[in-house]
Amino acid sequence: MTAVQTLDLQKKFKDKTAVDGLNLSVEEGELLALLGVNGAGKTTTIRMLCCLSKPTAGDALLLGKSIRKEP
């Protein structure tokens, strides 16, 4: 079963795009590491997956449940 799946996940802050069309899939039992330079959108992605920040566009499914419809 897919544990985490993002579907064109996007987050914008005014004129700044923090996450732009992220698509990824993590199966149960797999590990995921987000690596990147400062300002790459790592923390913003995690905040959206934890439902602390609402995506501007796209969606993510956590164990099949939408972070937009069932935060």
Side-chain angles (χ1 to χ4, degrees), residues 6-22 44-45 47-49 51-60 66-68:
T6 64
L7 309 163
D8 293 323
L9 196 62
Q10 184 179 76
K11 181 67 175 184
K12 290 186 179 183
F13 297 99
K14 296 183 183 176
D15 61 341
K16 175 90 170 163
T17 301
V19 178
D20 190 16
L22 177 65
T44 302
T45 298
R47 288 179 56 81
M48 287 189 287
L49 292 176
C51 300
L52 297 174
S53 179
K54 189 173 181 180
T56 305
D59 200 0
S66 168
I67 64 171
R68 297 194 102 175

Side-chain angles (χ1 to χ4, degrees), residues 21-36:
L22 177 65
N23 290 295
L24 64 86
S25 179
V26 181
E27 297 298 320
E28 280 189 59
E30 289 184 332
L31 297 175
L32 170 71
L34 297 175
L35 303 173

